[in-house]
Amino acid sequence: MKRALFLTAALLSLNACYRVEPEDAGATIPPPTARNDGRTLRIFMWSDYIDPEVVKDFEKREGVRVVIDTFESNENMLAKLQGGGAAYDLATPSNYVVQTMVRAGLLQPMRKELLGNFGNIAAGFLNPNFDPGNTYTVPYQYAATGLAYNAKRYTPPQESWNLIFGPTDTVRFALLDDPREVIGAALKYLGYSVNTGRVEELRAARDLLRRTVAKRGFESFSGGPEIRNKLLAGSIDLGQIYVGDLLQGTAEDPNLKVFLPREGTTISTDTLVLLRSSPSPALARRFVDFVLDPEVSAAISNYTFYGNPNREAQPLLDPFLRSQKAFNPSQEELTSGRVEFINELPRGTTTRLYDRIWTDLKTR
């Protein structure tokens, strides 16, 4: 896909992460469990993030069972993995939490030399700063975050965050249940970077968000699929949403639309990582290699409607996806910073400020 080329510079500028401190390593990491079970693969991933037919094909080919549990935010994923409990083989963290997981000792090397299809990945997704040499990660899918609406019920007068953050209170809306996305949207509306550490800019975002969630039109913080369903049901007029989650709903209702606000928005890459506690690492690597097959990779994107980093899969993508502007941010949008990657926050004061803003919003 053409995005694969122009994502290079942005991806190479990435660092990573959020919230988990390195000194946590060893204190909360689930210990490795019995290995080489080889009969069951357990995956922890974002909801609605893989074609069920792909899973069935892998189960049939390998004669195994695949169990998938889902999460709605990176923070929830990290909390569950650090808390122990279920021992997963694979997870799909966003780029900006990978280094946090490495520091916390949650990952083991992917050993890409064992993946015969690794060479299918587009050059722009190789050797990112958040994982030099792709030691721990294989790029899975990517997407920007936009504002969605149902044109059958509501026509936005402008493609702007002002519809939510502006002074009017006539639109029913929902925001993602994701601190970096919500705070990032407010920062972009105010003209700041989504990765800012400036106290005065974060205070301005906090005050804006306090006013926003106090509006009569504010409906909830929700996951992407939930916001899509609210738009289908007509219970909200506008929803902050990952573009892929919205486009999935267009088959059910072609009136669902999404745009990238003119002030700017966020983008992130989700990765496949092999967890240190994996009971079946060999089976997990076979699954990753299976996903990197061009036909399988394209089938996943044609189901999820998320961006695809597999060079050989591009000719197999649904033409509908190529026609969606929000699915394919332009190179100018990426290089100018209008569509900005979420990076890791410096630990310490900056992370605490983001946490305090989010806690303040969620407890109101």
Side-chain angles (χ1 to χ4, degrees), residues 230-260:
K230 291 176 187 293
L231 289 164
L232 285 167
S235 60
I236 58 174
D237 303 308
L238 273 174
Q240 182 189 24
I241 197 168
Y242 307 112
V243 170
D245 282 346
L246 186 281
L247 294 180
Q248 287 179 40
T250 56
E252 184 173 349
D253 187 343
N255 290 297
L256 291 184
K257 309 289 182 185
V258 63
F259 62 85
L260 304 182

Short mmCIF file of all heavy atoms in Angstrom, two decimals, residues 230-260:
data_model
loop_
_atom_site.label_atom_id
_atom_site.label_comp_id
_atom_site.label_asym_id
_atom_site.label_seq_id
_atom_site.Cartn_x
_atom_site.Cartn_y
_atom_site.Cartn_z
N LYS A 230 -23.32 2.70 18.62
CA LYS A 230 -24.14 3.84 19.05
C LYS A 230 -24.53 4.69 17.84
O LYS A 230 -25.66 5.21 17.75
CB LYS A 230 -23.39 4.70 20.07
CG LYS A 230 -23.16 4.04 21.42
CD LYS A 230 -22.31 4.93 22.33
CE LYS A 230 -21.93 4.22 23.63
NZ LYS A 230 -23.07 3.96 24.50
N LEU A 231 -23.61 4.84 16.89
CA LEU A 231 -23.92 5.59 15.67
C LEU A 231 -24.95 4.84 14.82
O LEU A 231 -25.87 5.44 14.25
CB LEU A 231 -22.64 5.82 14.86
CG LEU A 231 -21.65 6.82 15.45
CD1 LEU A 231 -20.29 6.69 14.79
CD2 LEU A 231 -22.18 8.26 15.30
N LEU A 232 -24.80 3.53 14.75
CA LEU A 232 -25.78 2.72 14.00
C LEU A 232 -27.16 2.83 14.64
O LEU A 232 -28.18 2.90 13.94
CB LEU A 232 -25.32 1.26 13.97
CG LEU A 232 -24.16 0.92 13.04
CD1 LEU A 232 -23.60 -0.47 13.34
CD2 LEU A 232 -24.60 1.01 11.58
N ALA A 233 -27.20 2.85 15.97
CA ALA A 233 -28.47 2.90 16.68
C ALA A 233 -29.06 4.31 16.75
O ALA A 233 -30.23 4.48 17.10
CB ALA A 233 -28.28 2.35 18.09
N GLY A 234 -28.24 5.31 16.45
CA GLY A 234 -28.72 6.69 16.49
C GLY A 234 -28.73 7.30 17.88
O GLY A 234 -29.36 8.32 18.08
N SER A 235 -28.02 6.71 18.83
CA SER A 235 -28.02 7.26 20.18
C SER A 235 -27.01 8.39 20.36
O SER A 235 -27.02 9.08 21.37
CB SER A 235 -27.75 6.15 21.20
OG SER A 235 -26.49 5.54 20.97
N ILE A 236 -26.11 8.56 19.39
CA ILE A 236 -25.20 9.70 19.38
C ILE A 236 -25.12 10.25 17.96
O ILE A 236 -25.45 9.55 16.99
CB ILE A 236 -23.77 9.33 19.86
CG1 ILE A 236 -23.18 8.22 18.98
CG2 ILE A 236 -23.77 8.92 21.31
CD1 ILE A 236 -21.72 7.91 19.30
N ASP A 237 -24.70 11.52 17.86
CA ASP A 237 -24.53 12.15 16.54
C ASP A 237 -23.10 12.05 16.05
O ASP A 237 -22.85 11.94 14.85
CB ASP A 237 -24.93 13.64 16.64
CG ASP A 237 -26.34 13.83 17.13
OD1 ASP A 237 -27.25 13.21 16.54
OD2 ASP A 237 -26.53 14.58 18.11
N LEU A 238 -22.16 12.13 16.96
CA LEU A 238 -20.74 12.12 16.62
C LEU A 238 -19.98 11.20 17.57
O LEU A 238 -20.33 11.10 18.75
CB LEU A 238 -20.14 13.53 16.76
CG LEU A 238 -20.21 14.49 15.58
CD1 LEU A 238 -19.69 15.85 16.03
CD2 LEU A 238 -19.38 13.98 14.41
N GLY A 239 -18.96 10.54 17.05
CA GLY A 239 -18.15 9.70 17.91
C GLY A 239 -16.69 9.73 17.51
O GLY A 239 -16.36 9.62 16.33
N GLN A 240 -15.82 9.92 18.50
CA GLN A 240 -14.38 9.77 18.25
C GLN A 240 -14.12 8.28 18.06
O GLN A 240 -14.60 7.45 18.84
CB GLN A 240 -13.60 10.28 19.45
CG GLN A 240 -12.08 10.22 19.26
CD GLN A 240 -11.31 10.54 20.54
OE1 GLN A 240 -11.86 10.38 21.64
NE2 GLN A 240 -10.08 10.97 20.41
N ILE A 241 -13.39 7.92 17.00
CA ILE A 241 -13.30 6.49 16.69
C ILE A 241 -12.06 6.19 15.87
O ILE A 241 -11.57 7.05 15.12
CB ILE A 241 -14.58 6.06 15.92
CG1 ILE A 241 -14.75 4.54 15.93
CG2 ILE A 241 -14.56 6.60 14.50
CD1 ILE A 241 -16.13 4.09 15.45
N TYR A 242 -11.52 4.97 16.05
CA TYR A 242 -10.46 4.51 15.17
C TYR A 242 -11.10 4.27 13.80
O TYR A 242 -12.16 3.63 13.70
CB TYR A 242 -9.85 3.22 15.70
CG TYR A 242 -9.39 3.32 17.14
CD1 TYR A 242 -10.04 2.61 18.15
CD2 TYR A 242 -8.33 4.15 17.50
CE1 TYR A 242 -9.63 2.71 19.47
CE2 TYR A 242 -7.91 4.25 18.81
CZ TYR A 242 -8.57 3.53 19.80
OH TYR A 242 -8.17 3.64 21.12
N VAL A 243 -10.48 4.76 12.76
CA VAL A 243 -11.10 4.74 11.43
C VAL A 243 -11.54 3.33 11.04
O VAL A 243 -12.63 3.12 10.49
CB VAL A 243 -10.13 5.33 10.39
CG1 VAL A 243 -10.64 5.08 8.97
CG2 VAL A 243 -9.94 6.82 10.63
N GLY A 244 -10.71 2.33 11.34
CA GLY A 244 -11.06 0.96 10.99
C GLY A 244 -12.36 0.51 11.64
O GLY A 244 -13.18 -0.16 11.02
N ASP A 245 -12.54 0.87 12.91
CA ASP A 245 -13.76 0.48 13.61
C ASP A 245 -14.99 1.06 12.94
O ASP A 245 -16.05 0.42 12.88
CB ASP A 245 -13.70 0.95 15.06
CG ASP A 245 -12.83 0.05 15.93
OD1 ASP A 245 -12.50 -1.07 15.48
OD2 ASP A 245 -12.46 0.47 17.04
N LEU A 246 -14.88 2.29 12.44
CA LEU A 246 -16.04 2.91 11.78
C LEU A 246 -16.30 2.26 10.42
O LEU A 246 -17.44 1.92 10.08
CB LEU A 246 -15.80 4.41 11.63
CG LEU A 246 -16.97 5.27 11.10
CD1 LEU A 246 -17.12 5.20 9.59
CD2 LEU A 246 -18.27 4.89 11.78
N LEU A 247 -15.23 2.07 9.64
CA LEU A 247 -15.42 1.54 8.29
C LEU A 247 -16.01 0.13 8.32
O LEU A 247 -16.71 -0.27 7.38
CB LEU A 247 -14.09 1.55 7.54
CG LEU A 247 -13.50 2.93 7.24
CD1 LEU A 247 -12.17 2.80 6.50
CD2 LEU A 247 -14.47 3.79 6.43
N GLN A 248 -15.75 -0.61 9.39
CA GLN A 248 -16.36 -1.93 9.51
C GLN A 248 -17.88 -1.84 9.48
O GLN A 248 -18.55 -2.75 9.01
CB GLN A 248 -15.94 -2.59 10.82
CG GLN A 248 -14.51 -3.06 10.86
CD GLN A 248 -14.18 -3.68 12.21
OE1 GLN A 248 -14.98 -4.39 12.79
NE2 GLN A 248 -12.98 -3.40 12.70
N GLY A 249 -18.43 -0.74 9.97
CA GLY A 249 -19.88 -0.60 10.04
C GLY A 249 -20.53 -0.16 8.74
O GLY A 249 -21.76 -0.18 8.62
N THR A 250 -19.74 0.24 7.75
CA THR A 250 -20.32 0.75 6.51
C THR A 250 -21.03 -0.35 5.72
O THR A 250 -21.89 -0.05 4.89
CB THR A 250 -19.24 1.40 5.63
OG1 THR A 250 -18.20 0.45 5.38
CG2 THR A 250 -18.65 2.62 6.32
N ALA A 251 -20.65 -1.62 5.94
CA ALA A 251 -21.36 -2.70 5.25
C ALA A 251 -22.79 -2.81 5.76
O ALA A 251 -23.70 -3.16 5.01
CB ALA A 251 -20.61 -4.02 5.46
N GLU A 252 -22.97 -2.49 7.03
CA GLU A 252 -24.30 -2.53 7.63
C GLU A 252 -25.10 -1.27 7.33
O GLU A 252 -26.31 -1.33 7.15
CB GLU A 252 -24.18 -2.73 9.14
CG GLU A 252 -25.50 -2.89 9.86
CD GLU A 252 -25.30 -3.25 11.32
OE1 GLU A 252 -24.16 -3.57 11.70
OE2 GLU A 252 -26.28 -3.20 12.08
N ASP A 253 -24.43 -0.14 7.28
CA ASP A 253 -25.10 1.13 6.99
C ASP A 253 -24.13 2.04 6.24
O ASP A 253 -23.22 2.61 6.83
CB ASP A 253 -25.56 1.80 8.29
CG ASP A 253 -26.42 3.04 8.02
OD1 ASP A 253 -26.39 3.54 6.88
OD2 ASP A 253 -27.11 3.48 8.96
N PRO A 254 -24.34 2.21 4.92
CA PRO A 254 -23.41 3.03 4.13
C PRO A 254 -23.46 4.51 4.49
O PRO A 254 -22.63 5.29 4.00
CB PRO A 254 -23.90 2.80 2.69
CG PRO A 254 -25.31 2.36 2.82
CD PRO A 254 -25.39 1.60 4.11
N ASN A 255 -24.41 4.90 5.36
CA ASN A 255 -24.46 6.29 5.79
C ASN A 255 -23.43 6.63 6.85
O ASN A 255 -23.28 7.79 7.21
CB ASN A 255 -25.87 6.61 6.33
CG ASN A 255 -26.91 6.62 5.24
OD1 ASN A 255 -26.86 7.44 4.32
ND2 ASN A 255 -27.84 5.68 5.31
N LEU A 256 -22.76 5.62 7.37
CA LEU A 256 -21.70 5.89 8.34
C LEU A 256 -20.51 6.53 7.61
O LEU A 256 -20.02 6.01 6.62
CB LEU A 256 -21.25 4.62 9.03
CG LEU A 256 -22.22 3.95 10.01
CD1 LEU A 256 -21.57 2.75 10.67
CD2 LEU A 256 -22.70 4.94 11.07
N LYS A 257 -20.07 7.67 8.14
CA LYS A 257 -18.95 8.41 7.53
C LYS A 257 -17.94 8.77 8.61
O LYS A 257 -18.28 8.88 9.80
CB LYS A 257 -19.46 9.70 6.87
CG LYS A 257 -20.63 9.50 5.91
CD LYS A 257 -20.20 8.79 4.63
CE LYS A 257 -21.38 8.66 3.67
NZ LYS A 257 -21.04 7.86 2.46
N VAL A 258 -16.71 9.01 8.19
CA VAL A 258 -15.68 9.42 9.13
C VAL A 258 -14.73 10.41 8.45
O VAL A 258 -14.50 10.32 7.25
CB VAL A 258 -14.90 8.19 9.65
CG1 VAL A 258 -14.16 7.48 8.53
CG2 VAL A 258 -13.95 8.57 10.78
N PHE A 259 -14.25 11.37 9.23
CA PHE A 259 -13.27 12.34 8.71
C PHE A 259 -12.18 12.57 9.74
O PHE A 259 -12.36 12.31 10.94
CB PHE A 259 -13.95 13.66 8.33
CG PHE A 259 -14.61 14.38 9.49
CD1 PHE A 259 -13.89 15.22 10.33
CD2 PHE A 259 -15.98 14.21 9.72
CE1 PHE A 259 -14.50 15.87 11.38
CE2 PHE A 259 -16.60 14.86 10.79
CZ PHE A 259 -15.87 15.69 11.62
N LEU A 260 -11.03 13.04 9.24
CA LEU A 260 -9.94 13.43 10.12
C LEU A 260 -10.06 14.94 10.36
O LEU A 260 -9.98 15.72 9.41
CB LEU A 260 -8.58 13.10 9.48
CG LEU A 260 -8.37 11.64 9.06
CD1 LEU A 260 -6.96 11.45 8.49
CD2 LEU A 260 -8.62 10.69 10.22
#
